[in-house]
Amino acid sequence: MPHIIIEHSEDLPVLPQVLVEKIHKCTFESGLFDLETIKTRAVAYQQYQLGVGKEGFIHVQAHIMAGRTVEQKQTLSEHLLACLKTYCRESDSLSVNIYDMDHEIYRKN
């Protein structure tokens, strides 16, 4: 845990695998998770529509187990967004959202 899902337009200024590696590392560097528990993946979109002046987009979803403080989630969100800004164009639409996963419902094997 956590599951990091990067949704993005196909025309990124950075290779998707590089983005996955950078976001994965950034998630670890937040100090909230052990490296061996982080799972990061990316999904590219061919069809999308953005606001005026936007060339592409990246949206990072961080699915984490419930129990973290609001401050911890804010720190993670800000840390991930700062990472995106480093590798993207100013014309890209960048966003991050943190989702709590319920201990009573989540299952894995």
Side-chain angles (χ1 to χ4, degrees):
M1 194 49 52
H3 290 276
I4 308 298
I5 303 166
I6 306 166
E7 297 178 307
H8 63 87
S9 53
E10 274 192 327
D11 64 336
L12 294 179
V14 59
L15 292 173
Q17 183 57 39
V18 171
L19 184 61
V20 166
E21 292 166 5
K22 298 298 184 185
I23 291 294
H24 193 89
K25 182 180 177 192
C26 182
T27 301
F28 171 68
E29 289 173 348
S30 73
L32 296 173
F33 311 101
D34 296 327
L35 186 59
E36 61 274 3
T37 65
I38 303 167
K39 298 158 192 77
T40 306
R41 54 195 173 270
V43 180
Y45 289 88
Q46 293 178 341
Q47 291 80 30
Y48 56 90
Q49 187 170 348
L50 303 172
V52 175
K54 296 297 180 183
E55 292 184 55
F57 75 91
I58 302 174
H59 175 67
V60 176
Q61 302 176 39
H63 298 267
I64 66 175
M65 294 307 289
R68 305 282 178 175
T69 67
V70 170
E71 292 79 16
Q72 289 173 314
K73 291 185 255 186
Q74 287 173 331
T75 298
L76 177 60
S77 182
E78 290 167 4
H79 202 66
L80 292 171
L81 186 59
C83 181
L84 290 178
K85 288 179 181 178
T86 302
Y87 300 101
C88 297
R89 304 168 290 219
E90 284 191 32
S91 60
D92 289 327
S93 177
L94 307 177
S95 57
V96 176
N97 197 14
I98 311 301
Y99 299 89
D100 282 330
M101 297 173 63
D102 193 341
H103 290 276
E104 290 80 24
I105 298 170
Y106 178 72
R107 298 291 182 266
K108 69 177 184 175
N109 66 8

